[in-house]
Amino acid sequence: MAILVIDDEENFSRILRQHLAAAGYEVVCAATGAEGLAMAHEHAPDLILLDVRLPDMDGREACARLRAVSQVPIIILSALGQEQDIVQGLYAGADDYLVKPFRIQ
């Protein structure tokens, strides 16, 4: 199973990649929305983990763009945890929304 992580926080992506790889997943990472969109097309992941705060676009916009061309499951991982943030993420097409910090297990 391949997982695409789209998050500009290098340390977070590294830790997430290590844990997921140790659990047997193939993991690729992107640091911008544009890079993530390209990698989603190139790698056809089985799951996308997506941050809301990206340097080049809002993660909800990236989510909507991904959803327009794919039904791959998308989980938003964000420090934005207000109810309105979560609802907006789900309306953008995310399948779930986890608020950072969360337990990696």
Side-chain angles (χ1 to χ4, degrees), residues 31-78:
T32 68
E35 183 182 12
L37 293 171
M39 290 181 84
H41 177 71
E42 179 181 336
H43 294 279
D46 299 297
L47 174 68
I48 297 174
L49 302 177
L50 174 64
D51 189 18
V52 171
R53 293 181 177 166
L54 299 171
D56 60 339
M57 74 175 67
D58 186 287
R60 291 167 290 226
E61 177 185 343
C63 182
R65 288 186 186 187
L66 289 163
R67 186 55 69 225
V69 296
S70 174
Q71 292 302 310
V72 64
I74 300 170
I75 300 175
I76 291 180
L77 307 177
S78 178

Side-chain angles (χ1 to χ4, degrees), residues 3 18 20 22 24 28-29 37 49 64 75 79 84 88 94:
I3 299 174
Q18 289 172 344
L20 292 170
V28 292
C29 296
L37 293 171
L49 302 177
I75 300 175
Q84 178 181 351
Q88 287 175 348

